[in-house]
Amino acid sequence: MSDITVIGLGAMGTALTEAFLDKGHVVTVWNRSPAKAQALAAKGAIVAASVEDAVRASPVIVVCLLVYDTVHEALAPVWEALSGRTLVNLTNGTPEQARAMSQWAVTHGANYVDGGIMAVPPMIGGQHALILYSGSRQGFDMHSEQLGALGTSKYLGEDAGMAPLHDIALLAGMYGLFGGVMQALALTGSAGIPAGEFVPLLMSWLQAMQGGLPKWAEQIDAGDHTSDVASNLGMQAEAYVNLIDASKAAGISTELMLPMQGLMKRGVAAGKANADLTSLVELLRSQNRSIETA
Ligand code: FVH
């Protein structure tokens, strides 16, 4: 028996395996393309000949494949081997996919823990690598020491959907930020300003704006978007027009910027001109436009 099995040796699965090995764990690995296991074997990993052998090798199976469908594809034929083991699925997915997989695993006698990796491969094993977990408390507690090799663990409760929900919400924040950063760099770049010159200014601006988020949380939790408003939506919607116009004038695509403008306009039309930008969160909740227009 080994301590841990890792199924999936892409960029992330490889980093996970290395972190387990670094902490002295005995690790069995399996990957669809066997060549990716060679470097890990040289570092001490045991290479299983089949998925079934990999599952049977350890009490805890860490899976990190591309998407949930590939997890099903890989594990469905070997369901009998999962009984009595803990399945930790670190593949990116939706809360619904995680809950369905939890049900499937539990039906086959396994503890199921879902995970969201908030880190890129080089961060794995360091304290800044945050790994979110949810699902079986028993499964998480039994293996929390081994999982601690990957970074900082945060357990979010028995509902397997909680880790992917938090994961996706954090990624939504990240992609929103990155979208704005791309627009900013395209704009300044069009005027010949090197990114290296502008980025320090951008970073300190974003840091300053981030300081306002606790107030956002207070307003959203209280459902009060009209007290103590410093920058009302009506004013921001007018200023936002300049952002679109300046981009167009510079020959920069507005495709990343237009959805936010659409939401602002909807907020103003809904009578929220004097409210804070936070009122738009309620608008997103109450009317799912992407579903309506899909
Ligand atoms: N890398 C990152 O920055 C992010 C950080 C946050 C978490 N994500 C998620 O982690 C999952 C794996 O990502 P990855 O970076 O390891 O991805 P790849 O390097 O592309 O490796 C993909 C592995 O999946 C295997 N695979 C794909 N299709 C199948 C299949 N049909 N059957 C069996 N295995 C399959 C692939 O095998 P192979 O191509 O080497 O044979 C790799 O092992 C992912 O959910 C991220 O969103 C990473």
Side-chain angles (χ1 to χ4, degrees):
M1 286 286 279
S2 50
D3 301 325
I4 307 157
T5 285
V6 177
I7 292 181
L9 301 175
M12 187 50 84
T14 297
L16 301 175
T17 305
E18 284 171 345
F20 288 133
L21 290 170
D22 284 349
K23 284 281 184 290
H25 296 298
V26 179
V27 187
T28 293
V29 295
W30 180 86
N31 193 58
R32 177 181 63 170
S33 315
K36 288 188 184 162
Q38 281 171 11
L40 291 166
K43 291 178 183 172
I46 302 161
V47 182
S50 67
V51 183
E52 181 166 0
D53 288 353
V55 171
R56 291 196 188 279
S58 310
V60 54
I61 322 300
V62 173
V63 182
C64 191
L65 295 173
L66 194 58
V67 291
Y68 269 63
D69 282 352
T70 59
V71 179
H72 279 293
E73 238 174 80
L75 293 182
V78 302
W79 60 268
E80 276 173 307
L82 284 170
S83 181
R85 296 186 157 81
T86 298
L87 178 60
V88 180
N89 183 17
L90 301 182
T91 305
N92 184 271
T94 67
E96 292 72 25
Q97 285 176 320
R99 289 180 190 123
M101 186 155 289
S102 172
Q103 209 170 356
W104 177 82
V106 169
T107 304
H108 297 307
N111 291 314
Y112 183 81
V113 179
D114 206 279
I117 303 175
M118 307 318 299
V120 292
M123 291 166 69
I124 296 298
Q127 59 170 354
H128 295 300
L130 171 66
I131 324 283
L132 306 169
Y133 296 100
S134 61
S136 165
R137 170 103 239 181
Q138 192 190 4
F140 176 74
D141 285 348
M142 274 194 303
H143 304 290
S144 63
E145 197 193 322
Q146 287 112 310
L147 294 174
L150 304 179
T152 301
S153 305
K154 188 171 173 63
Y155 178 75
L156 295 165
E158 295 265 356
D159 174 1
M162 279 298 118
L165 177 69
H166 283 70
D167 183 345
I168 281 167
L170 290 171
L171 290 180
M174 180 192 81
Y175 281 117
L177 178 79
F178 284 175
V181 168
M182 287 176 203
Q183 192 74 20
L185 293 176
L187 260 171
T188 47
S190 73
I193 301 165
E197 187 183 314
F198 182 68
V199 158
L201 197 61
L202 181 60
M203 283 173 72
S204 63
W205 166 245
L206 292 176
Q207 221 159 14
M209 288 298 96
Q210 195 185 308
L213 291 185
K215 186 183 167 203
W216 276 51
E218 275 173 33
Q219 289 175 306
I220 289 163
D221 288 343
D224 176 4
H225 306 283
T226 52
S227 306
D228 193 22
V229 176
S231 307
N232 69 64
L233 174 62
M235 173 279 292
Q236 294 203 53
E238 289 299 335
Y240 202 92
V241 174
N242 297 330
L243 210 152
I244 302 289
D245 288 348
S247 295
K248 281 183 184 164
I252 306 295
S253 167
T254 54
E255 64 198 311
L256 286 171
M257 298 290 109
L258 289 176
M260 176 65 99
Q261 187 181 38
L263 186 63
M264 284 178 164
K265 281 182 179 169
R266 202 148 67 85
V268 172
K272 296 176 188 293
N274 293 320
D276 223 325
L277 209 59
T278 51
S279 62
L280 297 181
V281 175
E282 285 186 2
L283 214 57
L284 283 176
R285 281 180 183 150
S286 66
Q287 237 180 325
N288 190 333
R289 297 285 275 219
S290 66
I291 286 176
E292 282 167 18
T293 55

